[in-house]
């Protein structure tokens, strides 16, 4: 693991510095390096324990402690926080699937106990459809019934939109609950698209595999709006992904995967994928991702994270927390001048003196 390599590197660095120490300052430099590298080793141990606790939380399907933000990766947070949000999303999804599976088993048991024996000729009933007679020798009638409903669709408000003829306003489709890509996944996807930029089929397959939810969103949009065009889909995707129609920040984070921050995909790739997609409702679509596999991928990232990314992220968090603590201190609350304010005041005074001296010299 890279963190174990980091602790070993810290010990090696201390030994090298000890050999390089000269004169009376050698003992001080040696002690200082020892303290610094002991701190690095301690951070590695704490991070290892943290990841171990996260893995236990995932296996027990419990909530991540002290995670008070939304259970979707939000671009305003650092990469580590987004990974925790993504892991919590996978935990929620697995618990939901387990509950639905239990409910489904109970329903099947009750239905099998109550269902009467069906005759060879029976009436098939579907929600929001008129009854269709079905028998061994009535294939033509059954097919005509399906064709009659092929071109009509309910938008959820009791309005029927015809697949052919004059098209009405676009309908906001029902989407799967999808976990968007985190910054490291966006970076990896960008590299893959760059490598295969001359192979359209390869880039389409890459986007379909790594941009979770895009293909299913196209299927849902086509199903809700049979006569929609690629331009209309792109306009809806960008507006929805940027949270333009969301009522809150949490709802906006739930659809950020439609327009991931930092992801640049050529329009011809998305258009080709759009043309290759057939309409399907959410109930007919396969899952956009497997939460168990994604959770293992997240934990693997946390276990093998680069020391540079880990320490730069933790360092930025520590600086931010220190600034927040200082601004919450009694001195700031009482109106005392902050160090940053003193520096800016000093800069203004220096600039004012420079401007006054230059103006006096020019007048003389």
């Amino acid at each position: 693991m890279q963190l174990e390599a980091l602790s070993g590197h810290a010990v090696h660095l201390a030994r090298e510095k000890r050999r390089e120490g000269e004169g009376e300052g050698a003992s001080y430099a040696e002690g200082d390096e020892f303290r610094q590298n002991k701190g690095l080793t301690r951070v590695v141990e704490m991070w290892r324990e943290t990841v171990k606790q996260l893995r236990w939380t995932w296996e027990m399907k419990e909530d991540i402690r002290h995670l008070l933000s939304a259970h979707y990766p939000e671009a305003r947070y650092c990469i580590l926080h987004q990974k925790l949000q993504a892991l919590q999303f996978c935990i929620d999804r697995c618990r939901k699937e387990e509950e639905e599976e239990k409910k489904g088993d109970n329903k099947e048991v009750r239905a099998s106990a109550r269902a009467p024996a069906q005759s060879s000729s029976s009436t098939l009933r579907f929600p929001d459809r008129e009854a269709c007679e079905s028998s061994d020798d009535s294939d033509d009638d059954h097919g005509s019934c399906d064709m009659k409903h092929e071109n009509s669709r309910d938008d959820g408000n009791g309005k029927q939109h015809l697949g052919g003829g004059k098209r009405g306003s676009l309908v906001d489709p029902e989407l799967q609950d999808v976990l968007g890509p985190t910054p490291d996944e966006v970076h990896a996807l960008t590299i893959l698209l760059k490598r295969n930029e001359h192979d359209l089929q390869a880039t389409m397959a890459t986007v379909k595999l790594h941009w979770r939810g895009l293909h299913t969103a196209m299927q849902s949009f086509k199903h809700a709006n049979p006569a929609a065009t690629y331009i209309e889909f792109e306009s809806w995707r960008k507006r929805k992904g940027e949270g333009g129609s969301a009522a809150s920040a949490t709802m906006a984070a739930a659809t950020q995967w439609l327009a991931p921050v930092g992801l640049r995909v050529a329009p011809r790739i998305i258009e080709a994928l759009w043309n290759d997609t057939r309409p399907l409702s959410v109930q007919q679509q396969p899952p956009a991702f497997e939460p168990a596999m994604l959770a293992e991928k997240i934990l693997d990232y946390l276990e093998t994270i680069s020391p540079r990314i880990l320490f730069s992220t933790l360092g930025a968090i520590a600086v931010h927390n220190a600034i927040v603590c200082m601004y919450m201190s009694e001195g700031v609350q009482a109106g005392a001048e902050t160090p940053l304010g003193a520096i800016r005041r000093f800069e203004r005074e220096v600039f004012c003196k420079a401007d006054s001296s230059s103006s006096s010299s020019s007048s003389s």
Side-chain angles (χ1 to χ4, degrees):
M1 192 165 65
Q2 294 190 31
L3 295 180
E4 295 177 354
L6 175 64
S7 61
H9 176 71
V11 174
H12 175 72
L13 180 63
R15 291 175 180 173
E16 291 294 327
K17 291 293 183 180
R18 202 174 297 126
R19 295 193 191 100
E20 295 175 0
E22 295 179 0
E24 59 185 49
S27 59
Y28 174 80
E30 180 179 341
D32 186 53
E33 289 296 331
F34 175 76
R35 285 191 295 272
Q36 289 181 8
N37 290 295
K38 185 177 180 180
L40 292 178
T41 305
R42 180 57 182 159
V43 171
V44 171
E45 294 173 354
M46 291 175 61
W47 180 253
R48 186 181 292 111
E49 291 297 323
T50 300
V51 176
K52 186 183 298 184
Q53 179 67 25
L54 289 174
R55 180 168 287 280
W56 181 87
T57 301
W58 155 249
E59 292 175 353
M60 301 301 295
K61 302 299 183 291
E62 295 185 357
D63 291 332
I64 298 176
R65 298 176 60 185
H66 311 300
L67 185 65
L68 305 179
S69 57
H71 298 173
Y72 298 93
E74 298 179 82
R76 56 180 176 154
Y77 293 119
C78 67
I79 178 67
L80 296 182
H81 194 93
Q82 291 188 45
K83 289 295 184 183
L84 296 183
Q85 290 177 312
L87 183 60
Q88 182 63 55
F89 183 93
C90 295
I91 293 173
D92 294 340
R93 173 62 70 85
C94 285
R95 288 192 302 209
K96 183 178 179 181
E97 290 180 354
E98 291 176 358
E99 292 175 0
E100 291 178 351
E101 186 176 353
K102 290 180 180 178
K103 291 180 180 178
D105 293 341
N106 294 334
K107 288 181 180 179
E108 289 179 1
V109 171
R110 290 195 297 267
S112 61
R114 297 176 182 176
Q118 293 185 354
S119 61
S120 59
S121 178
S122 60
T123 301
L124 300 180
R125 298 187 179 274
F126 299 89
D128 300 327
R129 292 190 181 187
E130 63 188 42
C132 300
E133 293 295 329
S134 175
S135 62
D136 295 337
D137 55 351
S138 61
D139 293 338
D140 294 339
D141 295 336
H142 179 67
S144 62
C145 182
D146 281 346
M147 289 300 295
K148 183 167 61 175
H149 295 285
E150 183 79 19
N151 295 325
S152 65
R153 179 190 48 79
D154 194 344
D155 66 354
N157 298 320
K159 297 180 180 179
Q160 294 290 331
H161 289 250
L162 298 180
K166 186 176 180 180
R167 184 177 78 252
S169 59
L170 295 176
V171 178
D172 203 14
E174 182 183 0
L175 301 174
Q176 291 192 34
D177 198 13
V178 177
L179 179 64
T182 51
D184 62 305
E185 294 176 315
V186 170
H187 180 67
L189 178 56
T190 303
I191 294 176
L192 290 174
L193 293 176
K194 187 66 176 177
R195 290 177 179 175
N196 301 319
E197 58 183 350
H198 300 297
D199 190 344
L200 182 59
Q201 294 298 324
T203 51
M204 285 173 53
T206 301
V207 170
K208 186 176 178 180
L209 178 64
H210 294 280
W211 189 344
R212 292 184 294 269
L214 178 64
H215 186 240
T216 56
M218 290 180 175
Q219 292 175 330
S220 297
F221 193 84
K222 280 190 172 184
H223 181 265
N225 305 281
T229 63
Y230 164 72
I231 300 299
E232 292 171 334
F233 169 76
E234 274 296 276
S235 176
W236 168 84
R237 180 185 68 83
K238 292 178 181 178
R239 174 176 54 84
K240 194 87 170 176
E242 294 170 359
S245 59
S248 63
T250 303
M251 294 179 63
T255 56
Q256 280 184 352
W257 54 269
L258 284 168
V261 178
L263 181 60
R264 298 292 182 268
V265 181
R268 66 182 183 87
I269 300 175
I270 302 179
E271 184 174 7
L273 186 60
W274 165 266
N275 295 330
D276 193 53
T277 300
R278 64 189 184 94
L280 279 179
S281 64
V282 173
Q283 292 76 16
Q284 297 172 320
Q285 297 171 4
F289 69 98
E290 293 292 336
M293 294 181 62
L294 187 57
E296 290 296 334
K297 182 180 178 182
I298 294 169
L299 292 170
D300 181 71
Y301 174 86
L302 296 176
E303 290 172 346
T304 60
I305 188 172
S306 166
R308 179 181 60 83
I309 297 177
L310 176 62
F311 281 102
S312 62
T313 306
L314 295 180
I317 294 173
V319 171
H320 179 268
N321 291 341
I323 294 174
V324 171
C325 291
M326 286 191 293
Y327 271 93
M328 294 175 63
S329 62
E330 296 181 359
V332 175
Q333 298 296 329
E337 188 178 32
T338 62
L340 181 59
I343 293 174
R344 290 178 176 174
R345 178 175 55 79
F346 175 74
E347 290 177 347
R348 287 195 298 268
E349 292 175 356
V350 171
F351 290 147
C352 290
K353 289 181 180 179
D355 292 340
S356 61
S357 61
S358 61
S359 59
S360 61
S361 61
S362 59
S363 62
S364 62

